[in-house]
Amino acid sequence: MLDLSCRDWVERQRAGLSLVPDLVLPNSVEGDRAVGIFNKLRLFDVPGTPTMAEAAGDWFRRIVWALFASLDPVTKARLIRELFLLVPKKNNKTTGGALLMLTALLMNERPRAPFLLTGPVHKTADDAFAAAEGAITLDNVLHKKLHVRDHLKTIIHRETGAKLEIMTFDPDIVTGKKVVGALIDEEHILGKMPRAKKAMVQLRGGMMPFPEAFLAIITTQSDEAPAGVFKEDLTKAREIRDGKRSGQMLPVLYEFPGDMQRSEEKLWRDPANWPMVTPNLGRSIALDTLVQAFNDEEANGEAALRTWASQHLNVEIGLALMTDRWAGADFWEAAGEPGLTLEALLERSEVCVVGIDGGGLDDLLGLCVMGRERGTRRWLTWHHAWAHKIVLERRKEIAPRLLDFEAAGELSLVEKPGMDVKEVADVVCQVRDAGLLPEKHGIGVDGAGIGDIVDELTAPERGFAVGADGQIVAISQGWRLNGAIKTTERKLAGGDMVHGSLLLMNFCVGNAKIEDKGNAVSITKQVSGKAKIDPLMATFDAAYLMALNPAAMVIGEDYELTTT
């Protein structure tokens, strides 16, 4: 299989070089021919209607060349079956994609071959069609060779009968389609659609009968944490680029290295670094325009700036920040310790408490195990959540994210009510059996809707007790949780609280909205709306108990903590 990795991508970006690796492909003649056609196409909405030879950068021409040069002249099989191009807005993304598909239509030799270009919203599809139609109108040869059906947004090759359909993405239409070539614009939006993954699987399957078929994905970064099919394709592209896996996808990702995005200096904010991720700079976009837009959004606050940066600099958003966000959200990401497992937490802790928060069938059941680290006395936290599968239907807008959390092992989907409660109780027993749970007030639960949890924990085989002398205590919510909320904020800001950098918790923390209650603040599910915050509320329940400075159960006069 062709090696499509580009391990030196950072050095290439800094030097302004193509991110298409140096490939030996079987059909350079076909690649040159494709570039020749692409170069002659004109931009209808730019003064002087320049050709792509004048308006496009070599970075995009190299992509065109590689895609078509990979077509084996003997077997007629394309060695590069997919393209994943991650590039910020205003870098000739939609126009370049439309003219790439027009080039494919002109290069095609298969009679009546179907091609598809789809965008997530009407405007994207309209812009793509306008770019293709405009290029045809400005070229007398193309005007005679291609028949444009405006009302259907379809372009038909008069000689081969091949057609290019341009439409808004619809899972019902895309599912079952058989195409020789397809382009998906702005896939990051599809990642939020619950049925998009299935539609993409079907689309890829529909290409299998055609050895020359290709799928091009051209997208910006998501304005929220990547999710669904977009997250899957983005991960695949990164792994192929970095040489961690093989595949027939050509990865071209204009993004900052992880250390530049996560550094305390926030190096991505420096305009001197922006040419790394804006390959069409000086053509379709100017640096001073970007700087002005950056300054405008920075004045609107961190949330607005992050959203702008995701679209114009491909900065990946890990945690959404709203104007009415919880103050601890600003420090959450920096407090992460990736890979912090429950077993590691138990090993490092001198005492642990547990917070539990749950609701109805369309809510999450959130669990937080919080340990006080030996020596440092930092608070270590481990989280998990459970959900009934019915939530995927009742909360379709977040279903792709929940499935991502399940795939990451951070959330468990259960078939029947009660399965989740038993698994929560199993974890609580694991903490107790490690000798780390306080004799009293070690399990904090939401005071409402806790009947099933209490019933399971107080069952004879579990052996926990409720009440003043018991280990299970109801934690009052609303403004009464103000102390725990403020304490958690201070611990995070001071570096005295650590978590496992879960995508689940980034989601929950980003969803939390505050409501002022006199001198107190309140975070409730009602204020946060349909978005889920249950595991975060479980964290506050645990913080309430940990703030009481508990001690682990004493086994004899001198006891030793052990873990299972």
Side-chain angles (χ1 to χ4, degrees), residues 221-222 256 261 268 306 309-311 313-317:
Q221 183 53 265
S222 176
F256 292 111
Q261 295 196 46
W268 63 265
R306 285 194 180 203
S310 72
Q311 299 299 285
L313 298 176
N314 272 351
V315 174
E316 181 174 327
I317 292 179

CSV table of all heavy atoms in Angstrom, one decimal, residues 221-222 256 261 268 306 309-311 313-317:
chain,number,residue,atom,x,y,z
A,221,GLN,N,-11.9,23.4,10.8
A,221,GLN,CA,-12.0,22.8,12.1
A,221,GLN,C,-13.4,23.1,12.7
A,221,GLN,O,-14.1,24.0,12.2
A,221,GLN,CB,-11.0,23.3,13.1
A,221,GLN,CG,-10.9,22.8,14.5
A,221,GLN,CD,-10.8,21.2,14.5
A,221,GLN,OE1,-11.8,20.6,14.6
A,221,GLN,NE2,-9.6,20.7,14.4
A,222,SER,N,-13.9,22.3,13.6
A,222,SER,CA,-15.2,22.5,14.2
A,222,SER,C,-15.2,23.7,15.2
A,222,SER,O,-14.2,24.0,15.8
A,222,SER,CB,-15.6,21.2,14.9
A,222,SER,OG,-16.9,21.4,15.6
A,256,PHE,N,-2.0,23.9,13.7
A,256,PHE,CA,-0.8,24.1,14.5
A,256,PHE,C,-0.5,22.8,15.2
A,256,PHE,O,-1.4,22.0,15.6
A,256,PHE,CB,-1.1,25.2,15.5
A,256,PHE,CG,-1.2,26.6,14.9
A,256,PHE,CD1,-2.4,27.2,15.0
A,256,PHE,CD2,-0.1,27.2,14.4
A,256,PHE,CE1,-2.6,28.5,14.4
A,256,PHE,CE2,-0.3,28.5,13.8
A,256,PHE,CZ,-1.5,29.1,13.8
A,261,GLN,N,-0.8,24.9,20.3
A,261,GLN,CA,-2.2,25.1,20.7
A,261,GLN,C,-2.4,25.1,22.2
A,261,GLN,O,-3.2,25.8,22.8
A,261,GLN,CB,-3.1,24.1,20.1
A,261,GLN,CG,-3.2,24.2,18.5
A,261,GLN,CD,-4.4,23.5,18.0
A,261,GLN,OE1,-5.5,23.6,18.5
A,261,GLN,NE2,-4.2,22.7,16.9
A,268,TRP,N,-0.4,30.2,19.1
A,268,TRP,CA,-1.3,30.3,17.9
A,268,TRP,C,-1.9,31.7,17.8
A,268,TRP,O,-2.3,32.1,16.7
A,268,TRP,CB,-2.4,29.3,18.0
A,268,TRP,CG,-3.4,29.4,19.1
A,268,TRP,CD1,-3.3,28.8,20.3
A,268,TRP,CD2,-4.5,30.3,19.2
A,268,TRP,NE1,-4.3,29.2,21.1
A,268,TRP,CE2,-5.1,30.1,20.5
A,268,TRP,CE3,-5.1,31.2,18.3
A,268,TRP,CZ2,-6.2,30.8,20.9
A,268,TRP,CZ3,-6.2,31.9,18.7
A,268,TRP,CH2,-6.8,31.7,20.0
A,306,ARG,N,-12.3,32.1,20.6
A,306,ARG,CA,-12.1,30.6,20.3
A,306,ARG,C,-12.9,30.2,19.1
A,306,ARG,O,-12.4,29.4,18.3
A,306,ARG,CB,-12.5,29.8,21.5
A,306,ARG,CG,-11.5,29.8,22.7
A,306,ARG,CD,-11.8,28.7,23.7
A,306,ARG,NE,-10.9,28.7,24.8
A,306,ARG,CZ,-10.7,27.7,25.5
A,306,ARG,NH1,-11.3,26.5,25.3
A,306,ARG,NH2,-9.9,27.7,26.6
A,309,ALA,N,-11.2,31.6,16.0
A,309,ALA,CA,-9.9,30.9,15.8
A,309,ALA,C,-10.1,29.5,15.2
A,309,ALA,O,-9.3,29.0,14.4
A,309,ALA,CB,-9.1,30.8,17.1
A,310,SER,N,-11.2,28.8,15.6
A,310,SER,CA,-11.5,27.5,15.1
A,310,SER,C,-11.8,27.5,13.6
A,310,SER,O,-11.4,26.6,12.9
A,310,SER,CB,-12.7,26.8,15.8
A,310,SER,OG,-13.9,27.5,15.4
A,311,GLN,N,-12.4,28.6,13.1
A,311,GLN,CA,-12.7,28.7,11.7
A,311,GLN,C,-11.7,29.3,10.9
A,311,GLN,O,-11.5,29.0,9.7
A,311,GLN,CB,-14.0,29.5,11.6
A,311,GLN,CG,-15.2,28.9,12.3
A,311,GLN,CD,-15.6,27.5,11.8
A,311,GLN,OE1,-16.1,27.4,10.7
A,311,GLN,NE2,-15.2,26.4,12.5
A,313,LEU,N,-8.2,29.8,11.9
A,313,LEU,CA,-6.9,29.3,12.2
A,313,LEU,C,-6.8,27.8,12.5
A,313,LEU,O,-5.8,27.3,12.8
A,313,LEU,CB,-6.3,30.1,13.4
A,313,LEU,CG,-6.1,31.6,13.2
A,313,LEU,CD1,-5.6,32.2,14.5
A,313,LEU,CD2,-5.2,31.9,12.1
A,314,ASN,N,-8.0,27.2,12.4
A,314,ASN,CA,-8.1,25.7,12.6
A,314,ASN,C,-7.6,25.4,14.0
A,314,ASN,O,-7.0,24.3,14.2
A,314,ASN,CB,-7.3,24.9,11.6
A,314,ASN,CG,-8.2,24.6,10.4
A,314,ASN,OD1,-9.4,24.8,10.4
A,314,ASN,ND2,-7.5,24.1,9.3
A,315,VAL,N,-7.8,26.2,15.0
A,315,VAL,CA,-7.5,25.9,16.4
A,315,VAL,C,-8.6,25.0,16.9
A,315,VAL,O,-9.8,25.3,16.9
A,315,VAL,CB,-7.4,27.1,17.2
A,315,VAL,CG1,-7.2,26.8,18.7
A,315,VAL,CG2,-6.2,28.0,16.8
A,316,GLU,N,-8.3,23.8,17.4
A,316,GLU,CA,-9.3,22.9,17.9
A,316,GLU,C,-9.8,23.3,19.3
A,316,GLU,O,-9.0,23.5,20.2
A,316,GLU,CB,-8.7,21.5,17.9
A,316,GLU,CG,-9.7,20.4,18.4
A,316,GLU,CD,-9.2,19.0,18.3
A,316,GLU,OE1,-8.4,18.7,17.4
A,316,GLU,OE2,-9.6,18.2,19.2
A,317,ILE,N,-11.1,23.3,19.4
A,317,ILE,CA,-11.7,23.7,20.6
A,317,ILE,C,-11.9,22.4,21.5
A,317,ILE,O,-12.5,21.5,21.0
A,317,ILE,CB,-13.1,24.4,20.4
A,317,ILE,CG1,-12.9,25.7,19.8
A,317,ILE,CG2,-13.9,24.5,21.7
A,317,ILE,CD1,-14.2,26.5,19.5
